[in-house]
Amino acid sequence: MLSLMSIVTLTTDFGLSDWFAGTMKGVILGRCPDTTIVDITHDVPRGDIRSGAFALWASCRHLPKGTVHLAVVDPGVGSRRPALAVKTARCFFVGPDNGVLSWALAVEKIEAAHRIENQALMLQPVSATFHGRDVFAPIAAHLACGGGIEEAGPAVSDFERLEWPEPRQTRDGWLGEVLYVDQFGNAITNLEAPTGARERSTELVTHRGARCPLEAFYESVPAGQPLALIGSADLIEVAVNGGSAAAQLGLTPGTEIRLVETAR
Amino acid sequence: MLSLMSIVTLTTDFGLSDWFAGTMKGVILGRCPDTTIVDITHDVPRGDIRSGAFALWASCRHLPKGTVHLAVVDPGVGSRRPALAVKTARCFFVGPDNGVLSWALAVEKIEAAHRIENQALMLQPVSATFHGRDVFAPIAAHLACGGGIEEAGPAVSDFERLEWPEPRQTRDGWLGEVLYVDQFGNAITNLEAPTGARERSTELVTHRGARCPLEAFYESVPAGQPLALIGSADLIEVAVNGGSAAAQLGLTPGTEIRLVETAR
Amino acid sequence: MLSLMSIVTLTTDFGLSDWFAGTMKGVILGRCPDTTIVDITHDVPRGDIRSGAFALWASCRHLPKGTVHLAVVDPGVGSRRPALAVKTARCFFVGPDNGVLSWALAVEKIEAAHRIENQALMLQPVSATFHGRDVFAPIAAHLACGGGIEEAGPAVSDFERLEWPEPRQTRDGWLGEVLYVDQFGNAITNLEAPTGARERSTELVTHRGARCPLEAFYESVPAGQPLALIGSADLIEVAVNGGSAAAQLGLTPGTEIRLVETAR
């Protein structure tokens, strides 16, 4: 038999303090022993589907072709919300059909989408509270070891999609919003750098009027001062050199941010 | 030489902020390079042997046959408490002989139990504070690579066992207690669902009189309301939909909980 | 092609709550699939180069020969600080040239040191904020898969070194300082146990006069009492049995500590 070397990533809100993530890994390795498991994060704020969707979107492009991405942020676990497995041109996605996969899927070429309903692939009896272990880990292992996605359950023509908030053009620039606040208080927005922006003449203005010049790196401004940067996901983020922009400027997901371009 | 593909799990109270867990992994991989290491958790509350024992018990059944389970919650490190290695019909357990292994071992068929005393298998000189690195990681690697358990040290006929608190039957149901509070504030009890329980007519009643109906999933009750669920370890847990039962209802390990069955 | 089995360790201040560490792992596995990745820690206090250097120094000796150690504590990311790759007789080190590698390197036999400047080895376009993903992970994968270090960029004759504070001899012992405070509040000093020290007659005295007898293990003193121990890195640490020495005795990195030997 061909030794398949495959990767499964995990993005959950299970935290690391209990045995939940480790147990999912045990189930995956029991069913597909050669898997390399990569934790994206287990610290998505509990039940925060948008933050989970963002973390998956920001990371998945950097994993190799063939990777199985498993994301479980699932406040409706145990209820009748469907479970989803998707095959794209590059990789696989597995998780609850509540939008957590949708931002990552929006930039992929989808080849197949199936509801996960095949009880024979699940860990029996399926618990009411831990589908990460009983439903999603087994199907991820199935896909990682080369099993067909059509065995998961019936094909579906669509799935839950979270809206990606598009910035709106204004008289002097763009109106956007904060999408994600990272653990250091950097506030990632939905704003991209305007093409040909001369960096020194672009700034982000927060809802409270704080002006954050677009700079090339954190230490471009004195410690404690706000700035804007083109972050690692190509989106502009508001930061404070050596501090927390979220705390200092009162930024949370959804906070409005304006991008203003002024003459040099 | 046969390439052995084996798994070592880690359950400790070392936390993830320092270099302790990573160093144990280095020692294991240096002595058994093909090992796949799975973190169960490193966030057992410091020195809390019962919580460590519970995490190991709840997770170990989901790891494949042959896995070596290493658990270090060891307030007596450096003193004369013995170190233990156990072979069961399914897998191996390694850790201090202070009860941390005992709940997992209570449901296994034990084939051999040895004290770890063989200095030649340890990392020398053995430190006074880090037996995880110097004593337990090397013996786990030894077992993961197929080494004999009898090389660890002399066979022992018994080991330290934590008492598992059994629920007591009462006039109208059962009296149990909280065994473990997870990081989300779900309080896992020692109560199992009575056979044939009609779910809507069973409830858990806390020490302060809060009534928690046994439901099928979190969202069965409005946000902020308490409920009871059959958790992923087949034990009934008290939860609050979208909140922390431990904080809201004042539950900690040892808190008494009553299970009451009423006519529908 | 020869299957190379290699280890890359990660020591960063990226935390585990976002997708940063997982993304670095994706980049490494995409470029060197057989790598085993070991997290030393991602919880170095943000921008604290000395604590990162200490964690790397304390752990790296316990990883096997050939390991690639990647350390990113990099407050100057995006500025012109150079990036460094070093080959020693035992292993490799990759990180910003700001001193974070220097304590580990001080005990290694250096065979080659190169600036990382080869754009062809980096993930393009290189972001301003995430050189861990775009610069350091790719070069670590390159080295893990047997690539030549000279391909990284020009050889350099020296690199940034943090001073290791040496203890000073005094009339009745030694004057040292706290180097690192671990997550449990143990304060690791730069003091080593004097040769032939009769343990019961040596004590550490804190800046506020607390006397901490050098003992063999935590439980040698009553719960809540301070003591000193020879820690797992062979340095004397100040601890409190069952408590936090840092909180109870007011210890932080840099706090002066005296070692005093008295007649028995």
Side-chain angles (χ1 to χ4, degrees):
Chain A
M1 186 191 139
L2 182 66
S3 166
L4 283 157
M5 186 79 168
S6 53
I7 297 174
V8 173
T9 74
L10 304 180
T11 303
T12 81
D13 62 354
F14 294 162
L16 290 170
S17 297
D18 303 302
W19 58 88
F20 308 135
T23 303
M24 288 177 69
K25 295 177 188 178
V27 172
I28 293 168
L29 292 168
R31 292 171 175 234
C32 190
D34 279 334
T35 309
T36 297
I37 300 173
V38 173
D39 294 313
I40 299 303
T41 179
H42 296 285
D43 289 336
V44 174
R46 197 181 186 196
D48 181 347
I49 296 169
R50 275 172 61 114
S51 289
F54 193 86
L56 184 63
W57 169 83
S59 59
C60 70
R61 69 186 82 175
H62 295 292
L63 275 288
K65 201 164 190 287
T67 295
V68 180
H69 297 285
L70 171 45
V72 193
V73 180
D74 193 13
V77 62
S79 68
R80 293 192 175 277
R81 67 97 192 86
L84 188 66
V86 180
K87 181 181 192 309
T88 73
R90 286 194 72 250
C91 47
F92 298 90
F93 293 85
V94 172
D97 185 8
N98 61 11
V100 69
L101 306 178
S102 65
W103 284 350
L105 288 172
V107 292
E108 298 274 333
K109 182 165 175 293
I110 294 173
E111 296 187 345
H114 290 258
R115 199 164 282 185
I116 304 170
E117 291 187 353
N118 182 352
Q119 295 287 327
L121 288 179
M122 301 178 192
L123 196 61
Q124 296 294 345
V126 172
S127 68
T129 56
F130 198 0
H131 288 193
R133 180 192 69 188
D134 301 336
V135 176
F136 298 116
I139 192 80
H142 172 78
L143 296 171
C145 261
I149 192 169
E150 69 286 351
E151 295 174 46
V156 291
S157 56
D158 206 1
F159 44 81
E160 187 77 23
R161 295 166 194 272
L162 299 182
E163 193 194 3
W164 179 277
E166 292 293 342
R168 281 181 292 150
Q169 195 148 16
T170 60
R171 242 183 14 174
D172 58 350
W174 294 86
L175 177 65
E177 66 181 73
V178 174
L179 285 181
Y180 184 95
V181 173
D182 76 19
Q183 69 196 301
F184 304 114
N186 300 314
I188 303 173
T189 74
N190 60 345
L191 295 159
E192 296 177 41
T195 331
R198 288 159 306 167
E199 293 190 351
R200 305 238 153 250
S201 59
T202 301
E203 50 183 28
L204 262 61
V205 183
T206 73
H207 63 311
R208 292 182 187 161
R211 309 188 79 87
C212 312
L214 184 63
E215 301 285 353
F217 52 92
Y218 296 110
E219 294 189 341
S220 301
V221 298
Q225 290 299 308
L227 74 157
L229 287 161
I230 301 173
S232 60
D234 291 329
L235 297 172
I236 301 181
E237 57 192 67
V238 178
V240 163
N241 182 19
S244 164
Q248 194 165 320
L249 307 175
L251 306 175
T252 57
T255 303
E256 288 198 346
I257 300 279
R258 288 185 302 125
L259 181 152
V260 180
E261 291 191 88
T262 54
R264 210 188 258 275
Chain B
M1 186 193 139
L2 183 65
S3 167
L4 284 156
M5 187 79 168
S6 53
I7 296 174
V8 173
T9 75
L10 304 180
T11 303
T12 81
D13 62 354
F14 295 161
L16 290 170
S17 297
D18 303 302
W19 59 89
F20 308 134
T23 303
M24 287 176 70
K25 295 178 189 179
V27 171
I28 292 168
L29 292 168
R31 292 172 175 233
C32 189
D34 279 334
T35 309
T36 297
I37 300 173
V38 173
D39 294 313
I40 299 304
T41 179
H42 296 284
D43 290 335
V44 174
R46 197 181 187 197
D48 182 346
I49 295 169
R50 274 173 60 116
S51 288
F54 192 86
L56 184 63
W57 168 82
S59 57
C60 70
R61 70 186 81 175
H62 295 291
L63 275 288
K65 202 165 189 283
T67 295
V68 180
H69 296 285
L70 172 46
V72 193
V73 180
D74 193 13
V77 61
S79 69
R80 295 195 173 277
R81 67 96 192 88
L84 188 67
V86 180
K87 181 180 192 309
T88 74
R90 286 194 73 250
C91 48
F92 297 90
F93 293 85
V94 172
D97 185 8
N98 61 12
V100 70
L101 306 179
S102 65
W103 283 350
L105 289 172
V107 291
E108 298 274 334
K109 182 165 175 292
I110 294 173
E111 297 187 344
H114 290 259
R115 198 163 283 185
I116 303 170
E117 291 187 353
N118 182 352
Q119 295 287 325
L121 287 179
M122 300 179 193
L123 196 60
Q124 297 293 346
V126 172
S127 68
T129 57
F130 198 2
H131 287 192
R133 180 192 70 190
D134 301 336
V135 175
F136 298 116
I139 192 80
H142 172 78
L143 297 171
C145 260
I149 193 170
E150 69 285 352
E151 296 174 45
V156 291
S157 57
D158 206 0
F159 44 82
E160 188 75 24
R161 294 166 195 270
L162 299 182
E163 193 195 3
W164 180 277
E166 292 293 342
R168 280 180 294 151
Q169 194 148 17
T170 60
R171 243 179 16 169
D172 57 353
W174 294 86
L175 176 65
E177 66 181 72
V178 174
L179 285 180
Y180 184 95
V181 173
D182 77 18
Q183 67 196 302
F184 304 114
N186 299 313
I188 303 173
T189 74
N190 61 344
L191 294 159
E192 296 177 42
T195 331
R198 289 158 305 167
E199 292 190 351
R200 305 240 151 249
S201 60
T202 301
E203 50 183 27
L204 262 59
V205 183
T206 73
H207 62 312
R208 292 181 187 160
R211 307 187 81 85
C212 312
L214 185 62
E215 301 284 354
F217 52 92
Y218 295 108
E219 295 188 342
S220 302
V221 300
Q225 290 300 307
L227 73 158
L229 286 162
I230 301 173
S232 59
D234 290 329
L235 296 171
I236 301 182
E237 57 192 67
V238 178
V240 163
N241 182 18
S244 165
Q248 193 165 321
L249 307 175
L251 307 174
T252 57
T255 303
E256 288 198 346
I257 301 278
R258 288 184 303 125
L259 182 151
V260 179
E261 292 191 89
T262 54
R264 211 189 258 273
Chain C
M1 187 192 138
L2 183 65
S3 167
L4 284 156
M5 188 79 168
S6 52
I7 296 174
V8 174
T9 75
L10 303 181
T11 304
T12 81
D13 62 354
F14 294 161
L16 290 170
S17 296
D18 303 301
W19 59 89
F20 307 136
T23 304
M24 288 177 68
K25 295 177 189 179
V27 171
I28 292 168
L29 292 168
R31 293 175 174 230
C32 189
D34 279 334
T35 309
T36 297
I37 300 174
V38 173
D39 293 314
I40 300 304
T41 180
H42 296 283
D43 290 336
V44 174
R46 197 180 187 198
D48 182 346
I49 295 169
R50 274 173 61 117
S51 289
F54 193 86
L56 184 63
W57 169 82
S59 58
C60 70
R61 69 186 83 176
H62 295 291
L63 276 288
K65 203 166 189 285
T67 295
V68 179
H69 297 285
L70 172 45
V72 192
V73 181
D74 193 13
V77 63
S79 69
R80 294 194 172 279
R81 66 96 192 86
L84 187 67
V86 180
K87 180 181 194 307
T88 73
R90 286 194 72 251
C91 47
F92 298 89
F93 293 86
V94 172
D97 184 8
N98 62 11
V100 70
L101 306 178
S102 65
W103 283 350
L105 288 172
V107 291
E108 297 274 334
K109 183 166 174 292
I110 293 173
E111 296 187 345
H114 289 258
R115 198 164 283 185
I116 304 171
E117 291 187 353
N118 183 351
Q119 294 287 327
L121 287 179
M122 301 178 191
L123 196 60
Q124 296 294 346
V126 173
S127 68
T129 56
F130 198 1
H131 287 193
R133 179 191 71 188
D134 301 336
V135 176
F136 298 116
I139 192 80
H142 172 78
L143 296 171
C145 260
I149 194 170
E150 68 287 351
E151 296 174 45
V156 290
S157 56
D158 206 359
F159 46 81
E160 188 75 23
R161 293 166 195 272
L162 300 182
E163 193 193 3
W164 180 278
E166 292 293 343
R168 280 180 293 149
Q169 195 148 15
T170 59
R171 243 179 18 169
D172 57 351
W174 294 87
L175 177 65
E177 67 181 72
V178 174
L179 285 181
Y180 185 94
V181 173
D182 76 20
Q183 68 196 301
F184 304 114
N186 299 313
I188 303 173
T189 74
N190 60 345
L191 295 158
E192 296 177 41
T195 331
R198 289 157 307 166
E199 293 190 351
R200 304 241 153 249
S201 59
T202 302
E203 50 183 28
L204 261 59
V205 184
T206 73
H207 62 312
R208 292 181 188 162
R211 308 188 80 86
C212 312
L214 185 62
E215 300 285 354
F217 52 92
Y218 294 109
E219 296 189 341
S220 301
V221 299
Q225 290 300 307
L227 74 157
L229 286 161
I230 301 173
S232 60
D234 290 330
L235 296 172
I236 300 181
E237 57 191 67
V238 178
V240 163
N241 181 19
S244 165
Q248 193 165 319
L249 307 175
L251 307 175
T252 57
T255 303
E256 288 196 348
I257 301 280
R258 288 183 304 124
L259 182 151
V260 179
E261 292 192 88
T262 54
R264 214 188 256 275

